[in-house]
């Protein structure tokens, strides 16, 4: 891992919500509802977690223009981080 990826890994690792969301996204493309169900995070918290993951370059929305049923996936950096989480 390069230095920036390592810093991002540390940022993800200090939050149980971010870690759970990354692990849920490891399964593939998911909607916020699916992420909430797979990670045991309340749906009301998911949007904040997804925004944090997008801002640090770990996740991306592949249909940002849609208002409902947005689909998220891990970026290449996100996959590298997910592979190294406990």
């Amino acid at each position: 891992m390069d230095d920036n990826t390592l810093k991002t890994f540390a940022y993800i690792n200090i939050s149980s919500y971010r870690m759970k969301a990354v692990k849920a996204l490891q399964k593939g493309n998911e909607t916020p509802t699916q992420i909430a169900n797979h990670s045991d995070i309340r749906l009301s918290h998911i949007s904040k977690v997804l925004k944090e993951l997008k801002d640090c370059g770990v996740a991306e929305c592949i249909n940002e223009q849609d208002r409902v049923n947005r689909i998220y996936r891990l970026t290449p950096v996100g996959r590298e981080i997910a592979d190294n989480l406990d």
Side-chain angles (χ1 to χ4, degrees), residues 5 16-17 19 22 24 27 30-31 33 41 50 52 60 64 66-68 71 81:
T5 304
S16 64
Y17 280 4
M19 278 184 17
V22 168
K27 297 176 173 108
E30 305 250 328
T31 64
T33 302
I41 299 172
L50 288 171
E52 292 169 350
E60 62 187 354
E64 195 78 48
D66 294 344
R67 300 223 2 108
V68 294
I71 300 171
I81 289 170

Side-chain angles (χ1 to χ4, degrees), residues 5-53:
T5 304
L6 196 55
K7 287 177 186 176
T8 305
F9 175 80
Y11 174 73
I12 300 301
N13 206 31
I14 61 171
S15 167
S16 64
Y17 280 4
R18 287 190 291 262
M19 278 184 17
K20 287 178 181 181
V22 168
K23 287 179 182 179
L25 284 168
Q26 206 171 9
K27 297 176 173 108
N29 300 342
E30 305 250 328
T31 64
T33 302
Q34 291 169 322
I35 296 167
N37 291 337
H38 292 139
S39 62
D40 292 327
I41 299 172
R42 288 186 197 183
L43 188 56
S44 59
H45 296 285
I46 286 295
S47 62
K48 179 180 185 285
V49 172
L50 288 171
K51 181 183 181 328
E52 292 169 350
L53 295 178

